Every structure is written in structure tokens, then in C-alpha cells.
Amino acid sequence: MRADYVVKRFLIFLLIIWVAATLNFFLPRLGGGNPVAQKLMATAALGGNLHAGMQDMVKEYEAKFGLDKPVWQQYLTYLSDMSRLNFNYSITNYPRTVMEMIMEGLPWTITLLTVTTILSFIIGNLLGAFQAWPGAPRWLQFLMPPLLAMSAVPFFLLGLVLIYIFGFLLQLFPLYGGYTAGAVPSLTLPFILDMIHHALLPALSIILVSIGGWALGMRAMMITTQGEDYVVFAEAKGLRDRTLFLHYAIRNAMLPQATALALALGQLVSGAIIVEVIFGYPGVGTVLFQALRGSDYFMVQGIVFIIIVSIGLATFALDLVYPLLDPRITYRRG
């Protein structure tokens, strides 16, 4: 792989991050409103009275958060802070910092997304590959219609259906949360099993929706691959069916699926965020939803920025490992 190609891709990655970060700064402010005033008014209303010096308090907190400065100056400060992963204080949860709250929810989201993405990608591609292979069991053909129908359902809608059936009617799984209320988080077997029990329905809603799309794409690629000359030549050589399937067909059909995985990361992340809100899962999605309700600019900016960087890094890394997936691909000049 040429060094200039890596540098070029990295510069494009930085450009995408800058454009996305700029939109991330301005979009929350288009809704108008004053998040500091809203928070202070809500707090005062809970106490049963409104303070006479409320406006002075609003101005003081705006100066504390830097919201009293011109927008262009806020933007420059924002870019400087983002480059150092300094996301300021949370407006609605002051004096807690944005990074502190993100780090609390990030392990939950990373675990949920990693497990569901890997499982749905592997299971979906294997089902699609077997459905297109001539020697596969015939009963696999009956799985495609329900899988395709499931892939058209949004993550959150299937999540609501699963909550109603398995949580409300059958009462097999909890309806809400990441662990039993009152439990103390710890690395003990009972608590880990409790977390898995709470995470099964959110994970299942993502996996069931994703499997159908991967299976359909892999089935189409396997059908195309079986007509390639190298597969026909391998068959003529008398290679075993298992060797043809693993080393000739599925290996070459996986490359477009890897490309689709990079393109689908954004949809997976956004879908997982909504699923977290539906299930009350203590991940980044729930924190983002609460920040949007409270017009917490800094929290929204911090979470969205981390999501953007994560997706960009995953796409960048996947682009660099393409030659490892298929040796025919090279970035050297011919």
C-alpha cells in the first residue's frame, strides 16, 4: 500500500470530520431557545417560586458556559475543544462534564453495538451463502421471506413488538433498564447475567432486522461468484465442495459485504440509539435523548462528535484492510 494513498485517505477523513463537526455545532442552535434559562426556570418551578434575580443568574451561567460570546467565537472555541476531546460541562447536569457522562454510557453502547453487529453480520452472511449454494439444505430457502420482511421493519418498531410479547404478555424479559433497579454494578457473575438478561431484547431487535439485509446481499453475491471462471476452473479440477465454498466462493463474495458494512455503520448506530431509548438502556442513546429534550448543546455536540469520529475511523480502517481481504486489490500504481 502506497504511503501517499494512506495520507490522502486520512486527509479526506479529517475533512469529513470537520464538515460534520461544523454541522454538529450549528444545527442544535437553529432551534433557538435558551437552554440555560430553560433549566433554571424548570429548577425554580420545582421549588414553587421564581427568583427575582433569575436573569442575572442566566447571564452568569451563560458566561460560565461561554454562550454569551458571539457565535463565531463560540465556533472557534468549539473546534479547539473538540480537537482535545474537551466537551465542556453539561448544561442540564451541571457541574458534571459531558465526557464524564459519555464515558458512563459508552461501554453499554459499545458492547451492544459490537455484539449485535458481529452476530448479525456473521449469521446473515452465512445464511445468504448457504441459500445460494447448490448443496445446502432445502429448508433454508423458507427462511428468506420472513427474514426479508423483518429487514423492512425499523429497529425501534420491532423493539416495541418484542417488549409487548416477551416483556408484557409472557413476562420473560424485563421491560426497562440495563440491570435490575437497586442492583450495584460489579464484575460478579450474578450482575453480568442480570445485564445479559436485560440486553437480550434490545440486541434481538437489532439482530433480527439486520440479518435479512445481510442474507439477501450475500445470496446475490454468491450466485454471481459461482459463475466466475475461477470457480468453474476449480470445479473442473475436482476440488472438494467444502474447499470451493470456503476458499473460492464465500471469500470472494465477502468483499462487497465488507464495503456494505462500512456504509451501514451509520444506520446501525442511529438505529441502536433509538433502541436504547425505547428500552431505557443506559447507553449513549439514552443520554443523547435526554440532552435533546433539555437543549443541552454541549452534550449533543459531544455525543454526535464521538459517533462521527467512530464511524469515520471504522470506515477508514476498513478501507485500509481491503488488500488483506482480497490480495487482488492493490493501491500501488500499475
Side-chain angles (χ1 to χ4, degrees), residues 70-90:
V71 176
W72 67 268
Q73 194 169 350
Q74 293 183 41
Y75 175 66
L76 294 179
T77 304
Y78 161 78
L79 291 181
S80 175
D81 291 342
M82 291 297 107
S83 64
R84 294 180 284 109
L85 295 181
N86 177 21
F87 304 121
N88 210 327
Y89 291 97
S90 169

Side-chain angles (χ1 to χ4, degrees), residues 16-257:
I16 294 173
I17 295 299
W18 172 74
V19 172
T22 301
L23 293 175
N24 183 31
F25 174 82
F26 286 104
L27 286 179
R29 289 164 170 77
L30 294 180
N34 190 324
V36 175
Q38 292 176 7
K39 179 62 178 179
L40 291 178
M41 289 293 184
T43 304
L46 290 176
N49 63 336
L50 296 178
H51 300 287
M54 184 64 67
Q55 292 301 322
D56 294 333
M57 294 178 63
V58 170
K59 291 181 181 179
E60 185 67 25
Y61 275 102
E62 284 181 344
K64 176 70 176 179
F65 292 119
L67 298 176
D68 59 331
K69 300 176 182 178
V71 176
W72 67 268
Q73 194 169 350
Q74 293 183 41
Y75 175 66
L76 294 179
T77 304
Y78 161 78
L79 291 181
S80 175
D81 291 342
M82 291 297 107
S83 64
R84 294 180 284 109
L85 295 181
N86 177 21
F87 304 121
N88 210 327
Y89 291 97
S90 169
I91 296 177
T92 57
N93 296 277
Y94 183 82
R96 300 191 67 189
T97 63
V98 171
M99 199 62 184
E100 178 186 350
M101 297 186 65
I102 291 177
M103 292 307 296
E104 289 181 359
L106 201 58
W108 297 88
T109 300
I110 290 177
T111 303
L112 180 65
L113 266 180
T114 302
V115 173
T116 54
T117 301
I118 292 176
L119 287 179
S120 60
F121 186 78
I122 293 176
I123 296 174
N125 282 296
L126 285 177
L127 285 177
F130 280 121
Q131 286 176 345
W133 197 249
R138 294 186 59 84
W139 60 267
L140 286 174
Q141 304 299 326
F142 298 101
L143 290 179
M144 184 55 71
L147 288 177
L148 290 180
M150 202 78 71
S151 65
V153 180
F155 292 119
F156 68 91
L157 185 57
L158 181 59
L160 291 174
V161 174
L162 293 178
I163 289 176
Y164 180 73
I165 296 176
F166 295 101
F168 182 73
L169 292 180
L170 301 179
Q171 298 183 358
L172 297 176
F173 296 96
L175 300 174
Y176 192 84
Y179 51 88
T180 302
V184 179
S186 60
L187 290 177
T188 60
L189 182 59
F191 183 77
I192 293 174
L193 294 177
D194 186 39
M195 287 193 303
I196 294 175
H197 189 218
H198 280 75
L200 281 177
L201 283 187
L204 195 61
S205 64
I206 298 175
I207 291 174
L208 290 178
V209 172
S210 303
I211 282 178
W214 294 124
L216 180 63
M218 190 62 177
R219 182 175 179 273
M221 291 308 306
M222 284 289 290
I223 292 174
T224 303
T225 303
Q226 290 178 55
E228 297 290 342
D229 293 339
Y230 53 84
V231 177
V232 176
F233 180 69
E235 290 177 347
K237 288 172 62 177
L239 296 180
R240 293 186 302 172
D241 191 66
R242 180 180 177 182
T243 303
L244 291 173
F245 179 77
L246 293 177
H247 297 282
Y248 286 83
I250 198 171
R251 182 179 179 183
N252 289 282
M254 279 298 298
L255 186 61
Q257 292 296 89

